[in-house]
Amino acid sequence: MCGIVGYIGQGDTVNILLEGLKRLEYRGYDSSGIGILQKNKIKIYKKEGRISNLQSFIPNNLQTHCGIAHTRWATHGQVNDSNAHPHFSYDQKVAVIHNGIIDNYLDLKKQLESEGYPFQSDTDTEIIASLISKFLSVEKNIENAINQALQKLEGTYGLLILLTDYPDLIIGARSGSPLVLGIGENQMYIASDPNALIRFTNQVIYIADGETIFVKQDSYTTTNIHNQLVEKQIENIEWQAEEAELGEYSTYMLKEIFEQPEAIRRAYGEGGRLLAEFGNAKLGGLNLSTRELLDIKKIHFFSMGTGYYSSMIGCYLMETLARIPA
Ligand code: GLU
């Protein structure tokens, strides 16, 4: 499950998309790609490997007001250019990027193939594009068509969709994979992680599971999957772009190591976690009473990456100090 970025507005679309992807690089990926709208046509550029491969593959000065971009971590199909996202529908009228896994994609693929729809890639994602195109060819209300297509999907998705027939629109949808809309001045950003858009705006709307968002340069509407309108709250992101950036460090791990003194200072400082007069710590989130804490029989840690090592230390401390199996 990797990265998604979309942009619509009068800014430098391709660079905004690439910059957004780079801010999501820390999550890891195996290929990347962008899809942009140009005069009612969608153009797709995608490449296996680093974002820099994609960057040197994209022609200079591509003019567009609207595009979507993706970093892939393959779950279905090999790591190669053709399995990278975006994916076109059979008629190239729909382009889709997707984070997640469509559990029933084989059934849907068989069904679509039996109706004569061809496929180019081995991914689960490609069926989404053709499914949407199929619904759009019979249902003229676009919100309805998209939501009807989404109702057929089982599994997880964070999706961005471009349509040649609606060049002023990006559609986002979420079920189990995060998606956030960033609201700018007469321009909109959409991403799987606020890191990708914090540089441009701190006004955001978090899309909830089962919601679809129709984003234009200066407006948006949100529906649930049954096509009923949903009211959304605009929220303010309080952290700064620098906090999420690599800055002078070559890796995020190194950055975290060098930030430890500051993190410890903050934990001990005013408003931090230390309750000096009680010789105790205040832990956010775990609001359990002493009695409830004493009732805990076993603790499970789930993590990956460097969190795995932290969890091993956590297990060790829980077992040796609290004597609780971890
Ligand atoms: N399942 C999709 C694929 O294999 C998306 C993977 C991802 O989340 O990057 O292409």
Side-chain angles (χ1 to χ4, degrees):
M1 207 174 286
C2 244
I4 281 185
V5 188
Y7 173 78
I8 183 161
Q10 298 313 315
D12 184 353
T13 306
V14 173
N15 278 327
I16 291 170
L17 293 175
L18 289 171
E19 188 176 330
L21 285 188
K22 283 189 195 145
R23 281 171 203 286
L24 301 181
E25 263 194 308
Y26 75 97
R27 307 181 74 98
Y29 62 99
D30 55 48
S31 48
S32 60
I34 66 166
I36 54 161
L37 263 160
Q38 275 187 329
K39 299 195 187 98
N40 291 68
K41 266 199 153 166
I42 298 170
K43 289 205 173 149
I44 285 179
Y45 302 90
K46 47 192 192 172
K47 272 275 160 227
E48 180 184 337
R50 312 292 303 171
I51 294 171
S52 53
N53 295 357
L54 173 70
Q55 209 161 1
S56 40
F57 179 63
I58 297 176
N60 287 334
N61 302 322
L62 272 184
Q63 295 305 316
T64 173
H65 64 290
C66 177
I68 55 179
H70 186 256
T71 45
R72 176 179 189 230
W73 197 308
T75 62
H76 292 61
Q78 284 186 352
V79 177
N80 57 32
D81 294 351
S82 91
N83 285 338
H85 301 205
H87 289 285
F88 265 135
S89 57
Y90 70 100
D91 54 3
Q92 305 209 340
K93 285 179 157 217
V94 181
V96 167
I97 56 177
H98 166 221
N99 278 354
I101 292 175
I102 304 303
D103 294 332
N104 62 338
Y105 93 99
L106 267 182
D107 292 343
L108 292 171
K109 191 170 183 174
K110 270 190 210 138
Q111 169 76 33
L112 289 166
E113 274 172 339
S114 73
E115 294 168 22
Y117 293 85
F119 290 96
Q120 316 272 343
S121 80
D122 313 312
T123 63
D124 49 343
T125 304
E126 193 184 359
I127 58 115
I128 305 172
S130 284
L131 195 66
I132 289 172
S133 200
K134 177 181 156 177
F135 275 90
L136 281 168
S137 66
V138 288
E139 167 62 66
K140 290 297 159 221
N141 176 307
I142 167 180
E143 287 89 358
N144 233 335
I146 299 282
N147 282 320
Q148 281 181 21
L150 294 176
Q151 283 173 26
K152 299 277 175 207
L153 304 178
E154 287 167 21
T156 54
Y157 54 80
L159 290 176
L160 291 187
I161 305 160
L162 287 184
L163 307 172
T164 52
D165 290 344
Y166 299 84
D168 58 345
L169 188 68
I170 298 181
I171 301 157
R174 163 180 176 159
S175 178
S177 295
L179 214 54
V180 55
L181 175 76
I183 303 168
E185 230 168 83
N186 215 19
Q187 53 193 333
M188 298 280 184
Y189 310 83
I190 187 159
S192 52
D193 178 331
N195 265 343
L197 43 82
I198 182 83
R199 167 63 84 229
F200 307 111
T201 178
N202 59 1
Q203 302 268 91
V204 299
I205 284 177
Y206 290 97
I207 322 295
D209 273 343
E211 288 180 352
T212 313
I213 188 157
F214 299 83
V215 184
K216 293 189 171 174
Q217 180 172 322
D218 53 1
S219 64
Y220 55 85
T221 42
T222 315
T223 68
N224 63 22
I225 204 164
H226 305 297
N227 211 30
Q228 294 154 325
L229 283 179
V230 178
E231 281 286 325
K232 299 298 291 179
Q233 283 285 339
I234 300 179
E235 295 180 41
N236 246 317
I237 301 184
E238 275 162 16
W239 37 279
Q240 301 292 313
E242 292 73 40
E243 291 180 38
E245 280 171 13
L246 267 182
E248 66 203 83
Y249 304 102
S250 57
T251 64
Y252 280 96
M253 184 160 159
L254 202 61
K255 181 173 190 248
E256 281 174 26
I257 291 170
F258 277 92
E259 280 176 355
Q260 279 172 8
E262 183 50 33
I264 291 170
R265 225 171 277 133
R266 258 191 259 159
Y268 277 69
E270 206 168 317
R273 299 202 181 276
L274 184 71
L275 298 172
E277 69 268 43
F278 302 109
N280 211 339
K282 176 175 71 187
L283 298 176
L286 264 187
N287 293 316
L288 298 177
S289 66
T290 314
R291 176 160 298 282
E292 286 168 316
L293 282 170
L294 285 170
D295 270 350
I296 291 174
K297 300 278 178 297
K298 190 161 186 175
I299 299 173
H300 298 268
F301 289 79
F302 297 89
S303 54
M304 59 194 276
T306 49
Y308 174 65
Y309 302 121
S310 314
S311 294
M312 282 163 72
I313 295 172
C315 286
Y316 172 77
L317 292 174
M318 284 300 166
E319 293 196 334
T320 51
L321 297 178
R323 303 224 162 267
I324 298 174

